[in-house]
Amino acid sequence: VGFDDYGSECDGIRITAFLDAGQDNLTPLGRLEKYAFSENVFNRQIVARGLLDVLREFSDNENDFISVMETVARMSEDGEPTVRAELMEQVPNIAMFLHESRPNFPAAFSRYLVPIVVRYLTDPNNQVRKTSQAALLVLLEQGLISKADMETKVCPVLLDLTEPSSDDDYKIEAVSMMCKVVTMLSKDTVEHLLLPRFCDLCSDARLFQVRKVCAANFGEFCSIVGQEATEKLLMPKFFDLCSDSLWGIRKACAECFMMVSNSTSPEVRRAKLSPLFISLISDQSRWVRQAAFQSLGRFISTFANPCSTGLHFRGDGALLEVPSFDDNYTSVPREMRGGFTRTFSNSNASPTTTNNARNTKDTEQTDENFNSFNYWRSPLPDISGELEMLNSEESEEVMEQKETKEEEEEEEPDFHDSKSSPAKATSDQIQKVLDCLQPHIDDPDVQAQVQVLSAALKAAQLDSPDDDGPEDDGLTEPEPEEQPEDAIESPSVESNSVEVQSESEERDADGGPGRNVIPQQLLDQYLSMTDPARAQTVDTEIAKHCAFSLPGVALTLGRQNWHCLKDTYETLATDVQWKVRRTLAFSIHELAVILGDQLTAADLVPIFNGFLKDLDEVRIGVLKHLYDFLKLLHADKRREYLYQLQEFMVTDNSRNWRFRYELAEQLILIIELYSHYDVYDYLRQIALTLCSDKVSEVRWISYKLVVEILQKLYACGADDLGLNFINELTVRFCHCPKWVGRQAFAFICQVFEEDCMPMEQFGQHLLPSLLSLSSDPVANVRVLVAKALRQSVMEKGEPGCAFSDELEETVMALQSDKDRDVRFFASLDPNKSLMDTAPLI
């Protein structure tokens, strides 16, 4: 039986039917040959489409398998493009089958299929080429092509197709393909085989399409080859692309700027990339300016240093506070300060570190923004740890001496004891570091550091070991990154922390803040994104992009520079576009982590309160992270929101059930933040209301909320409140005239954990009502009763307990129920996997 008599409607038949015995007396392999090379194109297409099934048919016999693979290789030379395209579409599926079922997969795949994929990359038919390109990417993603095949078979073809003499269409496709496969190759392969050609293609003067593809994928190349190759080979090309005559290429550069910046040292980022970005943000093309402003916040975020911001990202993306900062960021424990020092010293000393220069500069940045005087309001402490960190880049010997001294001083009991560190010794140490920094005085960052240390030296010289006055009369140092470069006088000894803070704010207003963190021009451009004129000349949604990147900018500047962004944040929070406010609402909890509890209470809580009364589109943002925000507040401030939780029950659209579902999910988390009295007085009533919701999904999650409340009450020893709640549940649900209410009671009993309350109390207060539902007229109720009794209660109850006899009788009755689902759950072995009964609710 062949396909000669079938038309396009044959899709429903078994594709390998042609292998069945017929009147031609041919073997299955013979019939495969007959139809694979038939004069009828349709027959050849069907064979190509069914190659995976054919291989399954012959996979048990090694010789037959080899014969089929050789037939595939011959079919790949078919003159009909549609046959070749059909065959190539099956290659990834065949490769996966071989990988899973054939022990000699690598050899067979490399011998028979890889040459086909590579050859089709240069096929004259566009559809075949596109199909082979897609197949190659899938094979790379699945890890099915060996490194040797990539280096000896695939990459050489891509390099040939990107030669200057290559056909234009082939060249453009090959460049795009090269940029796609580079993310799935090793650094060595990219650096030695593809990077030189990529640099040449960035300067292709004849085809702007080639330069545009290179610009769009420039960041991927930088992230793979690393800092050294980026700065040495790629940066000159990036500068050329950023000044290309075509705005589309400059726009592509602006879009990948963050990835490029992440692959450079802080020196290059500040001295070279920042002016380059300013040129893009001032470009004559509106589209380039638009892309640059969209990337501005992300570019600024690359200046962030975890050691100076006090925050880091966990593996799952959560933003966490480094333990060396307390909630009010006024002091730094000595042991954590030493930990930072050792970390950076080790990273700089490691011969395998690839970002050596970057780590060194980050070390200096750490001193400026974190370990100097940003958060200290106590008398001038010993800063030998910071001096060691600065000096480590100059001399290994000096670094070792300082490490020894640091270890000795870590044995001191009190970090804030000013008498443990004489001013004379501190002054000498500061002077030594100043002497070491003199050869590098041309570096702007070193100049800033020298300025900070000079101020510290003068302050240390004013310190006296005979000063026995109260702690409040001690020295308070200014924040170094907020001190203008032309400042030559240190603050007076008598100045207190409030005066220092206010003076720094005045200087920021006049001379530009955070200049040691990010270049002032970048910050000025970012702050201008809320200017209404920008919406007219750049992008109508520029304020939304500003709001989206604001947490990253705030993280980079650090909480000590929050006043730089405060006005901008308040402007965005009152923007007329609800999308802008919604963006802020979704990220306000992250900003609260960055700012700490004091600034959050002062500056974010009022805005948070405004979002609570906003449109539902904005309120959902704060609701989704309500727990994350409330847990950052002090208990007294957090308690104020108990009165407002009820307001989330009211929405602009009553059919917006997902809003109520989200509320129930958040309340489950919020329970731990409040006392059992508050949970009983405020959250209990909301939970009961949600349990009666019209939407089953809301009811389902609300039942779990009820159980969490009961667990809270009994865990806190509030048995009387727990019993009151159980009685209320019994009246409201167990005796409910609607079957969904009675079913809810059964479900609550099912998910009630043993550690919530003793089984004796469960048997006394909940079990009788649950057993009464075993004869409920609605089968869906009895199903949940059977499941609760068989899989929860009987497993937790002890043999011989007061209610065991009645429980067994009820379960036996349910095992003979007229409804088969009830019988199933009443008879199910509790140790087996539990079937989901959510559809029944």
Side-chain angles (χ1 to χ4, degrees), residues 23-24 37 92 237 314 381 390 409 456 535 598 649 720 729 799:
Q23 300 178 354
D24 49 16
F37 304 103
K237 303 299 180 182
R314 198 170 59 188
L390 285 171
E409 292 177 337
Q598 287 189 350
M649 297 293 294
D720 53 340
L729 292 173

Side-chain angles (χ1 to χ4, degrees), residues 84-145:
R84 301 198 302 273
E86 287 279 4
L87 187 151
M88 183 49 57
E89 286 183 358
Q90 300 303 315
V91 167
N93 298 328
I94 294 174
M96 284 301 301
F97 168 73
L98 298 179
H99 178 69
E100 295 170 357
S101 61
R102 304 292 298 183
N104 61 342
F105 158 75
F109 179 74
S110 178
R111 178 180 178 183
Y112 293 105
L113 296 183
V114 173
I116 300 176
V117 176
V118 171
R119 188 170 72 250
Y120 280 10
L121 291 174
T122 59
D123 196 274
N125 183 269
N126 182 62
Q127 181 186 3
V128 176
R129 290 200 308 274
K130 296 293 185 184
T131 306
S132 79
Q133 293 167 10
L136 177 59
L137 292 177
V138 172
L139 294 173
L140 282 171
E141 289 173 356
Q142 300 295 328
L144 299 177
I145 297 186

Side-chain angles (χ1 to χ4, degrees), residues 16 47-57 90 93-98:
T16 56
V47 173
R49 190 179 305 169
L51 281 176
L52 178 60
D53 293 326
V54 170
L55 280 170
R56 288 196 178 104
E57 295 276 347
Q90 300 303 315
N93 298 328
I94 294 174
M96 284 301 301
F97 168 73
L98 298 179

